[in-house]
Amino acid sequence: MSSDESNRRFVRHSRMHIRLVVLISMGAKSWEAVVDNISASGMLAIQPEDCEISTGQRCVLDLLVGEGRHIHLEALVTRTTAERIAFSFTRIPEEKEQILWDLLGHHADEMESPPGCAEAQ
């Protein structure tokens, strides 16, 4: 595999640092958290106290974006630490896509490479 091919595998959507409230729901359990950053494909939230969530679990996220608007998403937990939970969006309802794109603005179209990788073409 060439260096260019290897780098493209790790390219991700640009993350926008933002502070929003998110409700994380898993069955009958739910937790309120604060979003640290968000992209077109996922988000990172600050780990709430007593949160019983682990990598590989599926959940529902309700982002409160103000003015009575919220974004309802389905997600997969991709990483957890004592401080943060990372989610990958698995389903964004069509009627909520525009709210997410409006929130992200230009970040929805930008791509970034993780540290140590060459810039994406």
Side-chain angles (χ1 to χ4, degrees):
M1 178 181 309
S2 75
S3 177
D4 283 346
E5 289 172 358
S6 175
N7 289 336
R8 275 188 223 129
R9 291 178 58 204
F10 297 104
V11 173
R12 60 184 173 207
H13 289 277
S14 179
R15 294 170 289 171
M16 181 174 81
H17 292 278
I18 192 167
R19 290 290 187 243
L20 294 173
V21 174
V22 62
L23 180 65
I24 305 165
S25 302
M26 295 182 65
K29 296 180 181 179
S30 64
W31 303 271
E32 186 177 297
V34 175
V35 176
D36 185 46
N37 66 58
I38 189 169
S39 74
S41 61
M43 69 174 215
L44 185 66
I46 297 170
Q47 177 85 265
E49 286 186 33
D50 301 325
C51 184
E52 302 167 14
I53 207 166
S54 55
T55 303
Q57 292 182 299
R58 297 193 176 277
C59 59
V60 173
L61 305 174
D62 283 291
L63 288 166
L64 306 176
V65 295
E67 299 178 22
R69 297 185 311 160
H70 78 284
I71 304 170
H72 181 82
L73 307 158
E74 293 177 18
L76 177 68
V77 178
T78 57
R79 186 177 71 248
T80 62
T81 68
E83 296 85 26
R84 303 281 190 272
I85 306 171
F87 300 93
S88 175
F89 303 145
T90 57
R91 183 174 177 277
I92 304 170
E94 192 173 322
E95 68 274 9
K96 298 297 183 178
E97 287 178 358
Q98 189 61 49
I99 299 171
L100 180 60
W101 305 150
D102 290 346
L103 173 69
L104 291 170
H106 71 279
H107 287 289
D109 295 325
E110 292 180 14
M111 302 295 268
E112 63 182 24
S113 295
C117 291
E119 288 298 314
Q121 301 296 321

